Amino acid sequence: MSCVALQRSSAKRVRLALGMVCSLCFAGAAARATDWPMFRGEPALLGVARNSLPSKLDLLWSFKTTGPVKSSAAIVAGRVFVGSNDGNVYALDFSDGHKLWAFKTAGAVESSPLVLEGKVFVGSTDASLYALAADTGKQLWKYETGEKILGAPNWIKAGDATRILVGSYDFKLHCVEAATGTVVWTYESSNYINGSPAVAEGQTVFGGCDALLHVISLADGKQVKEIDAGAYIAGSAALADGRAYFGQFENEFLCVDLKFATNAWSFHDRNFPFFSSPAVTKDRVVFGGRDKCGDLLLAPARSAPDAGGTVSWFS
């Protein structure tokens, strides 16, 4: 089985479907934008919103693209930023869904946008990372990798400078200056990098089709360690309290202690792979599995799931 990307994420009140961007809100209430500037919400990729949803959601608006929407949306300053397989990055008005601008790349845009410092950073299957002006969609710079980019970019601070991290199917993790697109360093793995790199405590952590979890120093792009994951890692890891949480294609969800490079616990339910990126709270980790039912599994985050404990299912 090839390691391919179908990244999906909920961004609070915005739902993405094939070829359609939809905004959902409480019946009769006005939509209120809350910033969600990147894939999974923050650099550690924890995937947890700071507010709550109402018990009932009704469709407020929808925006039709001419290709599937596999990119998850970013929401900043009353605007929705999202990519489509029609090759465009779109900026939409959060209140009514009308198009503010569109930027055309030369390939499908499955990458989720990162909105930061007045710019939109997004990858394309045309093997390029783009920086666009958030207000107008004007291209500010383009950085070319050796192959397609499917995963979302992340970001770090290095003194006063902001840097962008993105993985590519050229096997490399690229670190570039946010202001200019100039490369700072690259780190080469041994297979495709499909997900987004997570950032915490001076390190970036990502998996790929080489079945390894890579831990890299943000200062110089050098390897700190690599950890055998046992199978493809198609999604992104979440980082919390020195641990990485991620699923793999041999039907296991893993919690890895990054300091000791050991498996803190693993979860196996049925024989289907884990593709989705997890959400991690103080006492729970929530993730989906490819069991053809779209289920979500919940298990304790800080310790191994008790064999006799309760697993809740939501479908």
Side-chain angles (χ1 to χ4, degrees):
M1 180 178 293
S2 61
C3 192
V4 296
L6 288 171
Q7 290 194 11
R8 285 175 176 82
S9 164
S10 258
K12 299 180 183 175
R13 302 188 180 200
V14 175
R15 179 170 60 89
L16 301 182
L18 290 184
M20 188 78 72
V21 182
C22 305
S23 179
L24 305 173
C25 74
F26 191 39
R32 290 181 303 216
T34 302
D35 283 359
W36 184 265
M38 62 178 291
F39 179 67
R40 315 304 288 162
E42 59 184 301
L45 307 185
L46 295 178
V48 178
R50 299 295 187 265
N51 59 356
S52 59
L53 289 170
S55 59
K56 186 177 185 298
L57 295 172
D58 286 337
L59 179 66
L60 177 64
W61 55 258
S62 63
F63 176 82
K64 179 72 174 176
T65 71
T66 58
V69 176
K70 298 179 181 180
S71 165
S72 58
I75 305 171
V76 175
R79 294 186 173 194
V80 178
F81 302 89
V82 68
S84 170
N85 275 31
D86 65 12
N88 284 295
V89 181
Y90 293 95
L92 311 174
D93 188 291
F94 186 87
S95 62
D96 59 15
H98 79 266
K99 183 175 71 176
L100 301 172
W101 55 256
F103 176 84
K104 182 73 171 179
T105 76
V109 181
E110 295 189 20
S111 168
S112 301
L114 162 65
V115 185
L116 183 68
E117 299 175 351
K119 301 180 182 70
V120 180
F121 303 95
V122 65
S124 171
T125 59
D126 68 5
S128 297
L129 174 69
Y130 292 87
L132 312 175
D135 56 349
T136 65
K138 178 183 176 181
Q139 180 179 312
L140 302 175
W141 52 257
K142 180 173 78 169
Y143 172 80
E144 295 182 359
T145 68
E147 247 290 0
K148 62 185 176 183
I149 299 171
L150 297 183
N154 206 331
W155 67 279
I156 60 173
K157 273 289 187 182
D160 294 331
T162 301
R163 294 173 176 174
I164 306 300
L165 301 172
V166 70
S168 169
Y169 267 48
D170 65 2
F171 302 0
K172 295 177 182 178
L173 181 71
H174 300 259
C175 176
V176 302
E177 296 287 0
T180 62
T182 304
V183 64
V184 179
W185 53 256
T186 60
Y187 169 82
E188 187 165 2
S189 68
S190 55
N191 212 316
Y192 304 140
I193 301 174
N194 195 68
S196 177
V199 170
E201 300 178 359
Q203 298 176 335
T204 182
V205 178
F206 66 93
C209 293
D210 57 7
L212 296 171
L213 189 72
H214 299 269
V215 184
I216 308 302
S217 168
L218 291 172
D220 56 12
K222 302 297 185 184
Q223 182 187 94
V224 177
K225 60 191 67 173
E226 62 181 27
I227 302 164
D228 186 1
Y232 293 156
I233 303 171
S236 306
L239 305 181
D241 300 331
R243 292 183 170 187
Y245 300 85
F246 61 95
Q248 44 96 301
F249 257 66
E250 288 297 328
N251 316 321
E252 281 193 306
F253 186 90
L254 304 175
C255 171
V256 169
D257 187 302
L258 296 174
K259 180 178 179 181
F260 299 104
T262 56
N263 188 20
W265 55 259
S266 62
F267 177 87
H268 176 99
D269 182 54
R270 286 175 285 174
N271 289 326
F272 53 85
F274 294 109
F275 198 112
S276 71
S277 302
V280 178
T281 70
K282 290 182 178 180
D283 61 355
R284 290 289 187 272
V285 55
V286 185
F287 51 96
R290 287 197 158 187
D291 58 354
K292 300 182 180 180
C293 297
D295 299 321
L296 293 176
L297 298 92
L298 287 80
R302 300 300 197 262
S303 60
D306 185 351
T310 300
V311 177
S312 301
W313 300 87
F314 297 81
S315 57

